[in-house]
Amino acid sequence: MASQFKFLVVEGCNGVGKSTVVEYLKGRTGASSFHYPPEFLAFRREVNLDESVGPLPRLAYYLAATMHLSDLVRDHLKRRHVICDRYLASPFSLINRRLGDHEG
């Protein structure tokens, strides 16, 4: 049986207004909203992940963060709509671009 609640992801580059759109939609729909969990973001800053860690370990980090986030989303979808500011496509696009930067 399909859930009556929907899951929406707002993807895009840094600084284009994803968080603003998510907050607007959250206010209009009463949805839960998520970004990557704060613990993951703190770790990312602490280790300077995007600048000092290679593409494949970064991918593992983003996959772990998304798996954790998916548990939160799944739980909230039982009660209401859920909107995420990024999910999996954005990290994959960053990883793919950076992998290409290191080749050749």
Side-chain angles (χ1 to χ4, degrees):
M1 180 173 163
S3 171
Q4 65 185 33
F5 300 109
K6 304 297 179 197
F7 176 46
L8 175 70
V9 176
V10 179
E11 295 279 5
C13 299
N14 291 339
V16 297
K18 294 178 304 299
S19 297
T20 302
V21 170
V22 167
E23 286 305 309
Y24 173 79
L25 291 172
K26 178 181 173 183
R28 296 279 305 208
T29 65
S32 293
S33 66
F34 292 101
H35 187 65
Y36 282 110
E39 306 82 19
F40 281 86
L41 296 175
F43 173 78
R44 180 181 165 205
R45 281 189 303 275
E46 268 183 48
V47 301
N48 203 21
L49 186 85
D50 293 323
E51 292 76 26
S52 64
V53 176
L56 293 178
R58 257 194 334 270
L59 178 58
Y61 158 84
Y62 284 117
L63 289 174
T66 303
M67 290 173 67
H68 177 68
L69 183 58
S70 70
D71 289 340
L72 300 173
V73 167
R74 191 176 303 109
D75 182 54
H76 279 253
L77 276 172
K78 295 173 188 172
R79 299 180 298 283
R80 60 177 49 153
H81 301 301
V82 176
I83 305 169
C84 281
D85 173 354
R86 293 191 174 163
Y87 196 62
L88 190 56
S90 291
F92 268 129
S93 70
L94 293 171
I95 297 293
N96 288 335
R97 180 173 43 102
R98 289 189 179 136
L99 276 172
D101 291 347
H102 289 54
E103 292 177 356

